[in-house]
Amino acid sequence: MKFIELELGGEKRTFYFGLGFLGNLLESENIAMHEIDVKLAENPFKWIPLIMYYSCAFGFKRKNEFAPFDAFDVAEWIDEVGMDSEVIKLFFQAFTQSLTKD
């Protein structure tokens, strides 16, 4: 799966998966691929919004634009819907599939 569209922060947003998004996440946060699961387990309150931010912001980066939001905004949007919301579950199902499928 290359992307998923989800309603978050009062808008339908496109979250991208794949090499570009992952490369940005890993380089910007100075982590290795195998550390993603560890970071999520250690502090999901930090890493869930960060991963979702990089995924959504990648669509803007592809167009050479700046995302009109940051990871703090994404954290607030998650606060609005709740960490156990269907939106978060759907995002991480798609994220996991993108890492394991094909």
Side-chain angles (χ1 to χ4, degrees), residues 14-29:
T14 304
F15 295 86
Y16 291 88
F17 305 106
L19 298 177
F21 144 69
L22 280 172
N24 286 338
L25 170 66
L26 299 176
E27 185 174 292
S28 297
E29 297 304 318

Side-chain angles (χ1 to χ4, degrees), residues 24-92:
N24 286 338
L25 170 66
L26 299 176
E27 185 174 292
S28 297
E29 297 304 318
N30 197 29
I31 62 171
M33 188 74 183
H34 68 276
E35 293 178 282
I36 292 173
D37 286 339
V38 173
K39 296 290 187 186
L40 278 167
E42 287 176 350
N43 190 349
F45 306 106
K46 174 183 177 179
W47 287 94
I48 287 174
L50 268 176
I51 291 170
M52 292 183 76
Y53 164 74
Y54 284 107
S55 177
C56 192
F58 186 69
F60 293 91
K61 187 171 183 81
R62 291 175 64 204
K63 296 184 276 185
N64 210 24
E65 298 174 359
F66 291 100
F69 54 86
D70 60 23
F72 296 109
D73 294 319
V74 177
E76 288 178 7
W77 301 338
I78 293 170
D79 281 342
E80 290 172 6
V81 298
M83 287 284 279
D84 292 333
S85 73
E86 191 66 20
V87 171
I88 307 305
K89 290 175 186 174
L90 288 170
F91 174 84
F92 276 96

